[in-house]
Amino acid sequence: MSRTEEEKIAPTVASRETAPVVVDQDGPLVRLACGGDREAFRRLVERHYRRVYHIARRMLGDPQAAEDIVQETFLAAFKHLPGFEARARFSTWITTIAMNRCRNHLRSAAVSRSAPLSADPPAPASASPEAQAGARELAVHLERALASLSPDQREVILLRDVEGLAYDAIAEALDIEAGTVKSRLHRAREAMRVLLEGVWSP
Amino acid sequence: MSSSEKICARVRASFSEFLEEDLAAEERREVEAHLAECAGCAESFARFREAIAVLGQLSRPEPPADLPDRIDRALDRLEPVSLPRARPAGRRRLVQHAVAAMLVGGIIVGIIRVVPEVGGPLPARQAASPESREALPAAKDEFAAMDRAIGPAAGALMGETAPAPAPTARSESAPAIEEKAAKAAPAYRENAEVARARDDDKRVAASTVTPHAAREMLKQAAPAAPAAKKPDVEEPSYYAPRDGEPGGARYARGLLLAARNHASWITAVRDLALSHPGDLASAWAGLDAETRKGILAVWSRAAPVPNLAADLARAGKEAGSPAEQAVIQIFADAIHPPAP
C-alpha cells in the first residue's frame, strides 16, 4: 500500500498543514468487526498494520519486538472491540494501544538503554545525486538522534513529525493534554537540535 | 558565555515554537530580528527546519507481509470456535440464489400445502405484521431464542440446500421454544455439515430441496404450531409490482421484508448484497423508516453477519463503490442499530 493510499484511509495521518476533515472510513468495518466479523477485522488489520509496525519499530528499534507489538496490539484490539467507543477514530485507538505496549516493553526490558539503530535508510526519491547523498546523510543523523532521545521525547516526535498525526490525535494516543503535546514536542525537538548541532558543527 | 552568545542560545532554543508560530508576538519579533542579523543562527534555523521536514520523509521499514496472516492465526487460537469463514464465491452463489428465490416464491407454498395446519394466506404467513407481533408478546423472544440456538446453522442451510424454519409466528411460551430450538440445533448443524460437504463436492443443486425434505426439516426444527392470529393489516405481497420499480430491486425488497420476520433470511440478503449490491441498496432506500427499523431489530438479535466485507471484495465489486458502501452500512446498522 502506498503512502498516499494509506493517508487516504487513515485520515489522521494527514498533511499537517491542511488537516482536512475526513469521514472515518473505518467506521462501517469497525462496526462489523464489533459484531465478530473476522473478515472485516482482517481488513482493518491490513489497513493499519504497517503504520503500527513502523511506530513500534521506531520506538523499540528492534524488528522482532516490533512484530510482537503489532500482533499484541491487534489481538488486544479484537478483544476489546465491543467496548470501543466510536467517538475515537479506530486508527487513533490502535495507536494508543500500540503506544502503551511499546511503553510497557521499554519499561519491562532494559532495552531503552540501548535502542538499536536501524540500518541506513534509503534517501527520499527525486533528488540530484548530491542532494540525495546529503539527504541520506541527514536521514542517518536523524535516525540516530531519534533513537538517542528519551522514549517520552521520541514518541511525540515520532507521532507528530514522522507520522504526521494531528495534535488532538496525539493527545489521545498518548493520553495527555493537547497543550502538553506541544510543550513536549518543543522540548523533544530542542533535544534533537542539540544532538544534531553536535554533528553539524563539530 | 557572552551576552550575544546567550541571545543566540535563547533564540535557538525557541526554534520549534517559532516554527509552529507558538511564540508571543514580542518574542517572535525578537527572533525574527535576530535571525536577520546573525548568520550562524539563520543557518542553524534553516538546518533545523530541513531536519523537521526530512523526519516526515524517513524511510518506512516494511513489516513482514505475512503479519496479517499471523494475526489471523493468533485470533483463531484465541477463539477456538471461530465464525464460519467465507467460502469462495462462484457456482455456489448461483445455487444460493436459486434456493433463495425458491424459498421466497415457492417452497413455502409447498410446505403450506403439505402441512395444512400452518396454512393461511401467503403474504400474511410470511410477513407477520408488527401488530400481530405485538399481539403475541412471547413471539419476539421466541424469534430471538431460535436465532440464538439455530441461527448460524439455519443460515448455513439457507445458503446451501434447505430452507430455514419458515418464519411463522408461534404462541408457545419462550422456554418451550428454547428447549425445542436446542433439540433441533444439533440436527440442523448436522445437516449443515452434510450440505457443506456436498457443496465442496460441487454436487449440490437447487433441485435437492424437495417439498418432502423441506417438510422434514420443518418438523425437526419447529413442529407445526397453532396458527397465529391473523394480522389486522394485510402486508403487501413480496412480489406485488410497484410502479417504476425494476425487477431486481423488487426481488431485493422481498428478501428484505422476509428478513424482517426471521433473521436467517439474512444469509440470502447477504448473497444478494454480493451479486447485486445496487439492487439491495435501492430496495433498502425504498423502505420506510418503520420497516427498516423492524428489519434491523430482528437482525441485531441474530448471529453476526459473517464475512460480508471479504465476500464483497471477492465478488469483485469495486471497493468503496457507493453501492458497496451502502450495503456495508446496512449490515453495520443491523449489528449496531443506529441511535434513534
Side-chain angles (χ1 to χ4, degrees), chain B residues 4-133:
Chain B
S4 73
E5 279 174 334
K6 270 186 194 158
I7 294 175
C8 288
R10 205 180 64 226
V11 165
R12 289 184 189 197
S14 64
F15 277 170
S16 181
E17 280 109 319
F18 181 65
L19 191 67
E20 299 295 323
E21 300 183 2
D22 281 347
L23 287 179
E26 197 180 326
E27 285 174 294
R28 183 183 170 77
R29 277 194 295 276
E30 208 179 306
V31 172
E32 277 168 349
H34 181 78
L35 290 180
E37 65 191 21
C38 176
C41 283
E43 197 192 331
S44 179
F45 179 66
R47 284 207 198 106
F48 175 80
R49 193 160 53 182
E50 188 193 359
I52 300 300
V54 171
L55 276 174
Q57 300 159 23
L58 286 181
S59 66
R60 304 170 75 82
E62 265 296 304
D66 69 339
L67 211 42
D69 289 335
R70 273 147 60 186
I71 292 168
D72 238 15
R73 286 197 294 273
L75 281 173
D76 282 340
R77 286 194 295 275
L78 202 73
E79 318 178 280
V81 186
S82 64
L83 290 163
R85 306 307 304 264
R87 289 175 300 280
R91 207 171 64 92
R92 180 178 63 92
R93 187 121 296 134
L94 226 100
V95 172
Q96 285 179 345
H97 273 288
V99 173
M102 286 171 73
L103 285 172
V104 173
I107 287 292
I108 288 175
V109 178
I111 292 166
I112 288 160
R113 216 177 23 234
V114 278
V115 192
E117 63 271 28
V118 297
L122 178 58
R125 298 296 317 154
Q126 281 183 306
S129 70
E131 287 81 355
S132 76
R133 287 285 189 85

Side-chain angles (χ1 to χ4, degrees), chain A residues 47-83:
Chain A
R47 282 183 181 187
H48 296 285
Y49 82 102
R50 286 182 182 81
R51 205 169 50 80
V52 173
Y53 176 80
H54 183 229
I55 289 173
R57 176 82 187 264
R58 290 216 182 274
M59 279 308 291
L60 309 178
D62 174 7
Q64 188 52 53
E67 286 175 30
D68 292 346
I69 295 286
V70 175
Q71 286 213 41
E72 286 173 23
T73 298
F74 283 105
L75 290 186
F78 187 77
K79 231 165 100 186
H80 297 290
L81 250 184

